Amino acid sequence: MSTSSRAESPTRPTLPRTYSRWASLVVLCAGTLMTILDGNVVTVAMPAIQSDLGFGGPGLAWVVNAYLIPFGGLLLLVGRLGDLVGRKRMFVAGLAVFTAASVLCGVATSQGVLIAARAVQGAGGAMTAAVVLGMLVALFPEPREQARAIAVFSAVGAAGGALGTFLGGALTQALNWHWIFLINLPIGVVALLAAVRVLAPEQGAGLGRGADYPGAALVTGALMLTVYVIVGAGDRGLTATLLLAALALALFVAFAVRQARTARPLLRLRLFGSRLLSGANVVQVLMIATMYGFQFIGALYLQRVLGYDELTTGTAFLPAPIAIGVLMLGLSARTIGRFGAYRVLLAGLVLVIAGMALLSRAPVDGSYVTDVLPSLLLLAVGFAAAMPALTGLAMSGARAEDAGLASGLFNTTQVVGGSLGLAVLSTLAASRTDGLLDRGAELIPATAEGYRLAFRVAAVIATGALTLAAVTLRQRTERAQG
């Protein structure tokens, strides 16, 4: 009987003691917290990094993009590898890679070293993030305990957003920007040792089952080239830009062709036959592009226009992620249950648009209380409403046997949206500012106008998300509920 069980469920951990599951949850949350912190901690330190290493305006975005693109591009591949070699092994290896890369980031003294180390960080982050939810589901198969575990995991994610922005400002001001990366060394070592000791061993399906490595190379290359085209569009001619864009499109097409023909695809194309799943993923790209662009440009506005230091900037951002965490845990499930995911999603996107529209009038002599805080709160409430609703809609559009793959796809489009939004908005802001400076404008007013343009474009992107959600998701949602 036990032999048969092991054969049918080769990847489920054996847990001899109940308390070890909750200890495992703590370890998984600690590893995840480190990657979430790293995604936010860099934002406030950007001006210091730019000043120290001499980054240009569009080039500065690569400090973030170099992390996000490998992270998003590798999620599907390393998730599959986790199934093959064992998810504990993948999680532990990811922690080791992420921690080592953090040290390289912390000691970097040139743009190239920092960007390369950030890319390795992104790969390590993908290795941990791709397997965590699968491990949680295996650890807590009973529905009520599973709900509690996922609630704790979600709360850690929200706390990571709040702590990342604050710690980035505190460490940069008290020490220097290098410590926003070096702080990961003690955290990573403790989490790594705990993971080895606490997480139960798993038996993967075996590498003989195969993974689509060429497909992973194609989609990762396509994503990286796409962002490169967007970030550097203002620094090259139209012909070169169009040629690079055509090459990126060709890589995406080659990836799609391979997925249709290979025996073990990285991404089953039948998933896109669900209009609900496809629509929700596109809506997410637009919504996350708006939110991530706001976080990056908003931090620069506070520092370069209003003159805030790093610690004050980090503190100024605290209300948004705290509100998101509280609302997600306390109200989102009940609100969706009462009004439906579709209506809650649309209401949340309306609030996001309103928040970005308010920011688009941010003046040179603005006040935090009147010109920034109202937008922060609108964006926080809107995102807290929209994100869980959108996640539910996306997952409801997948077959049961495709749930894991649909989850990986949703995580991937989230990262892609953040990276592309950051690239587009930072490039537009820099180009607008440079154009005004060339015409004799003063630095701070020109900088403020560049950021206002970015906020206006972000509001347009969010409007596109709302329109697409209203048109694409309504019919399918009603059928699902009918």
Side-chain angles (χ1 to χ4, degrees):
M1 179 69 177
S2 59
T3 302
S4 174
S5 298
R6 287 194 297 269
E8 293 173 1
S9 305
T11 60
R12 176 167 293 182
T14 300
L15 298 168
R17 295 183 298 272
T18 300
Y19 74 84
S20 67
R21 293 184 300 159
W22 296 100
S24 298
L25 175 62
V26 171
V27 172
L28 295 176
C29 287
T32 302
L33 177 63
M34 192 165 62
T35 61
I36 292 174
L37 280 172
D38 199 77
N40 290 276
V41 76
V42 176
T43 305
V44 181
M46 286 296 211
I49 294 174
Q50 182 177 26
S51 176
D52 192 16
L53 299 185
F55 279 99
L60 184 63
W62 276 99
V63 177
V64 176
N65 285 329
Y67 176 86
L68 289 177
I69 295 303
F71 186 99
L74 292 173
L75 275 172
L76 295 176
L77 174 62
V78 296
R80 172 62 175 161
L81 288 176
D83 292 335
L84 299 179
V85 304
R87 287 173 294 206
K88 175 182 176 178
R89 291 178 182 175
M90 183 59 66
F91 183 81
V92 170
L95 286 178
V97 171
F98 186 90
T99 303
S102 296
V103 175
L104 290 178
C105 289
V107 300
T109 56
S110 69
Q111 296 179 18
V113 172
L114 178 59
I115 290 175
R118 287 285 285 165
V120 178
Q121 261 193 322
M127 293 166 71
T128 60
V131 297
V132 166
L133 284 177
M135 295 176 78
L136 283 180
V137 171
L139 285 167
F140 300 94
E142 197 276 322
R144 283 182 295 181
E145 286 192 338
Q146 188 177 110
R148 289 174 57 197
I150 292 177
V152 171
F153 183 76
S154 299
V156 168
L163 290 174
T165 308
F166 177 76
L167 287 177
L171 290 172
T172 301
Q173 184 164 324
L175 300 169
N176 55 58
W177 66 264
H178 296 276
W179 283 95
I180 68 174
F181 300 112
L182 293 176
I183 194 65
N184 287 331
L185 177 59
I187 299 173
V189 169
V190 172
L192 183 61
L193 294 175
V196 171
R197 182 176 180 82
V198 173
L199 297 180
E202 294 181 318
Q203 182 64 45
L207 284 174
R209 296 290 299 273
D212 185 18
Y213 306 108
L218 286 171
V219 72
T220 303
L223 292 171
M224 295 181 71
L225 185 57
T226 298
V227 176
Y228 174 73
V229 169
I230 295 171
V231 170
D235 299 326
R236 68 174 76 93
L238 178 61
T239 301
T241 298
L242 291 176
L243 287 174
L244 290 173
L247 177 58
L249 179 60
L251 290 175
F252 277 120
V253 171
F255 172 72
V257 170
R258 177 169 180 82
Q259 298 314 287
R261 295 180 176 179
T262 187
R264 298 185 178 93
L266 189 66
L267 180 63
R268 297 184 186 94
L269 296 183
R270 73 164 185 255
L271 261 66
F272 297 103
S274 167
R275 186 179 177 188
L276 186 59
L277 178 64
S278 299
N281 274 277
V282 177
V283 169
Q284 176 173 239
V285 168
L286 299 177
M287 183 177 73
I288 297 299
T290 300
M291 295 300 297
Y292 212 98
F294 146 73
Q295 186 177 21
F296 180 76
I297 302 296
L300 294 179
Y301 169 75
L302 291 176
Q303 291 178 284
R304 294 180 174 176
V305 177
L306 299 189
Y308 286 18
D309 58 30
E310 290 87 354
L311 179 58
T312 307
T313 300
T315 304
F317 269 85
L318 277 177
I322 290 175
I324 289 172
V326 171
L327 291 171
M328 277 188 176
L329 291 176
L331 293 177
S332 63
R334 283 181 287 180
T335 305
I336 292 171
R338 180 174 180 180
F339 298 104
Y342 174 74
R343 293 185 180 90
V344 172
L345 171 62
L346 296 188
L349 288 172
V350 168
L351 293 177
V352 170
I353 295 169
M356 294 309 306
L358 278 180
L359 276 176
S360 68
R361 52 168 292 278
V364 173
D365 56 349
S367 164
Y368 174 75
V369 174
T370 59
D371 298 306
V372 179
L373 184 58
S375 298
L376 279 175
L377 296 177
L378 282 171
L379 290 165
V381 176
F383 184 76
M387 192 62 196
L390 187 61
T391 303
L393 288 169
M395 296 307 295
S396 69
R399 303 177 184 179
E401 63 268 26
D402 292 329
L405 190 57
S407 177
L409 175 63
F410 198 69
N411 286 333
T412 301
T413 57
Q414 186 175 102
V415 176
V416 170
S419 181
L420 292 179
L422 175 59
V424 170
L425 297 178
S426 63
T427 300
L428 287 174
S431 297
R432 177 61 170 164
T433 297
D434 290 343
L436 292 174
L437 291 175
D438 290 341
R439 293 197 291 271
E442 295 183 2
L443 176 60
I444 292 181
T447 302
E449 177 55 32
Y451 296 154
R452 283 194 292 268
L453 173 62
F455 292 141
R456 288 194 292 270
V457 173
V460 172
I461 295 173
T463 302
L466 174 63
T467 304
L468 183 64
V471 172
T472 305
L473 304 182
R474 180 182 181 85
Q475 183 180 8
R476 295 295 179 178
T477 304
E478 289 176 346
R479 288 183 182 178
Q481 292 172 346

